[in-house]
Amino acid sequence: MHLTFQQLKLFESVSRLGSYTRAAEELFITQPAVSIQIKRLEEQTGLPLFEKVGKKIFLTAAGKAMYQASSDILIRVDSLKDSIEELKGEIKGPLHLSVVTTAKYFLPHLLGTFLQKYPDVEPKLKFTNRARVIERLMNNDDDFVIMGQVQKDEHLETYPFLNNILGIIAAADHPLANKEHITLKELAKQRFLIRESGSGTRYVFDSLLKDHGLEIEPYMELGSSEAIKQAVMAGLGIAVLSLHSVQLEREVNKLTVLNVEGFPLKRRWYAVHLKGRKLSLVARTFLDYILDESNKLFNVELD
Ligand code: PGA
C-alpha cells in the first residue's frame, strides 16, 4: 500500500469528527481536497473505508482497522517530535490547551509572561465551556486542559493551582448590596441570571440549589460570563460568578459580592490531563510555570 502521512491525518480527522466538512475546517484545507485524498486512500486499500447512511458517515470494517492504525501512527509521530525536542532541550513548538471560558480572565496573562520567557512556544488555545472541555479532555486532544470543577475520576491527573472563589454578584446599588446576612431563602426570591447548560459556573449553581433543596425559576439564561456581568450591572438580576471574572468591575464599584450565608464558595482551578499522557517538554514547562507563578500573579481574595 502506498499511503501518505497527510492521507492518514485527513482520514483520522474525518473519522473522529464524522464529517468531511469539519475535517476540512480543522486542517485548513478545502472539502473537495479531503474527498480526493480519502478516495485515493480507498483505492490504495481496495475497500471502502466509509459508508453513508442518510446524511451520516460510518466507518466500515476496513475503515475501523485503518482508524486504529492511523491513530497509532499519529500518536507515535507526535511523541517522536516530543522526544526530539527533549533531546535538543529546547522549549519550543506547539502547546495545545483547552480552557473553560471563565479562565480567560487569568490564563492569557499567565501565557503572556510565559511567552516572554519562551518566545518559540506556539500556543494553540481553545476557550470553550466546561462540557466541551471535558469532551476534548476525554479525547486526549490537548496537552492539558484548565477547568474549575473536576469530578473524582481515576483516569485523570489533576493539578490544583489558583483559588477559584465564587460569589453571588449584584449591581453595586442593588437593594441587598449592603445587607450583612442574607439567607438562602431570601436569595432564592431574587431574579437570577444563569449561564447556559454545559457551563462550569452553571454546574456550581445547579449543585448548590440541589444541596440546599432550593428551587428557583431563572430569570434569564445567557451564554457567557461577560453577558451575565453586563446584565447584572444593568440591574436585570443577580448571578453566581467566579470572582476572577469581576475583579475590574468590583474595583470601580460597579459590581459587589453579596453577603449570603454559605458564600463565597471556595474552589480551585485545575490543570487536568488523562493519566498516562506523556506531556511534551513545552507542556510540562508551562504546567510547572502555572503551578509556581499563578498564585503570585493572580490570587483573588474576597476583600
Ligand atoms: P465555565 O466554567 O466557564 O464553562 O462556566 C467555569 C468552571 O469550570 O468553573
Side-chain angles (χ1 to χ4, degrees):
M1 267 195 271
H2 225 70
L3 313 176
T4 69
F5 186 66
Q6 173 72 349
Q7 284 168 345
L8 293 182
K9 222 167 143 179
L10 287 176
F11 172 77
E12 190 276 338
S13 178
V14 174
S15 316
R16 176 167 40 79
L17 300 170
S19 151
Y20 282 60
T21 314
R22 286 182 64 192
E25 280 166 12
E26 182 176 82
L27 298 167
F28 303 108
I29 51 171
T30 64
Q31 202 257 6
V34 176
S35 308
I36 292 168
Q37 290 303 329
I38 297 292
K39 212 158 166 224
R40 291 208 179 123
L41 193 60
E42 287 184 321
E43 282 163 13
Q44 286 295 324
T45 317
L47 286 170
L49 300 171
F50 294 107
E51 60 190 351
K52 217 169 165 188
V53 181
K55 283 193 172 162
K56 285 193 165 177
I57 54 166
F58 294 90
L59 287 170
T60 60
K64 284 181 187 154
M66 182 67 80
Y67 183 62
Q68 186 62 54
S70 53
S71 306
D72 289 352
I73 290 167
L74 292 173
I75 289 170
R76 287 288 296 128
V77 171
D78 257 356
S79 81
L80 170 67
K81 277 193 229 147
D82 293 342
S83 313
I84 305 256
E85 288 309 333
E86 288 230 32
L87 286 171
K88 289 185 188 160
E90 290 171 1
I91 316 287
K92 64 187 278 190
L95 171 66
H96 291 269
L97 302 175
S98 278
V99 183
V100 289
T101 47
T102 306
K104 67 171 172 265
Y105 296 98
F106 59 85
L107 208 265
H109 301 280
L110 282 170
L111 190 61
T113 48
F114 180 74
L115 288 174
Q116 279 171 15
K117 219 169 156 190
Y118 303 108
D120 293 329
V121 170
E122 297 155 30
K124 316 266 181 218
L125 248 67
K126 267 201 182 1
F127 283 96
T128 182
N129 76 15
R130 177 177 187 266
R132 182 80 188 105
V133 167
I134 292 180
E135 204 180 302
R136 292 186 57 90
L137 170 66
M138 293 309 175
N139 283 337
N140 210 8
D141 285 337
D142 300 287
D143 289 309
F144 57 87
V145 306
I146 307 277
M147 54 196 286
Q149 329 294 329
V150 187
Q151 282 175 329
K152 276 212 167 83
D153 183 333
E154 57 183 39
H155 300 103
L156 298 180
E157 198 73 70
T158 55
Y159 308 84
F161 57 106
L162 279 179
N163 284 333
N164 179 19
I165 303 180
L166 292 119
I168 307 279
I169 309 298
D173 57 359
H174 190 279
L176 294 180
N178 294 315
K179 198 162 176 202
E180 290 270 309
H181 182 85
I182 304 164
T183 62
L184 284 171
K185 248 178 140 180
E186 216 174 340
L187 188 76
K189 290 190 217 133
Q190 300 298 313
R191 288 200 308 224
F192 269 97
L193 309 173
I194 59 164
R195 282 279 303 274
E196 79 286 2
S197 77
S199 136
T201 312
R202 164 76 174 264
Y203 173 82
V204 171
F205 184 62
D206 287 347
S207 321
L208 174 94
L209 292 174
K210 208 166 136 217
D211 289 352
H212 291 88
L214 289 174
E215 267 185 45
I216 59 135
E217 183 65 46
Y219 183 60
M220 225 185 254
E221 184 179 307
L222 297 164
S224 74
S225 298
E226 276 303 308
I228 294 213
K229 255 168 37 178
Q230 295 300 331
V232 171
M233 284 192 276
L236 293 178
I238 61 174
V240 173
L241 286 176
S242 165
L243 296 198
H244 276 294
S245 64
V246 291
Q247 244 169 331
L248 285 178
E249 290 77 4
R250 286 177 66 212
E251 271 169 35
V252 295
N253 210 23
K254 291 264 178 205
L255 290 175
T256 189
V257 182
L258 297 184
N259 296 312
V260 181
E261 68 170 308
F263 275 89
L265 302 174
K266 292 202 175 134
R267 303 281 164 85
R268 305 294 297 271
W269 288 106
Y270 298 88
V272 190
H273 62 76
L274 287 181
K275 250 186 198 148
R277 180 176 179 112
K278 188 177 171 301
L279 291 188
S280 68
L281 184 59
V282 171
R284 224 171 344 111
T285 311
F286 186 54
L287 179 57
D288 289 342
Y289 184 78
I290 294 179
L291 300 181
D292 292 343
E293 299 296 318
S294 57
N295 255 318
K296 292 180 212 155
L297 296 170
F298 282 102
N299 211 7
V300 68
E301 293 299 341
L302 188 52
D303 267 314

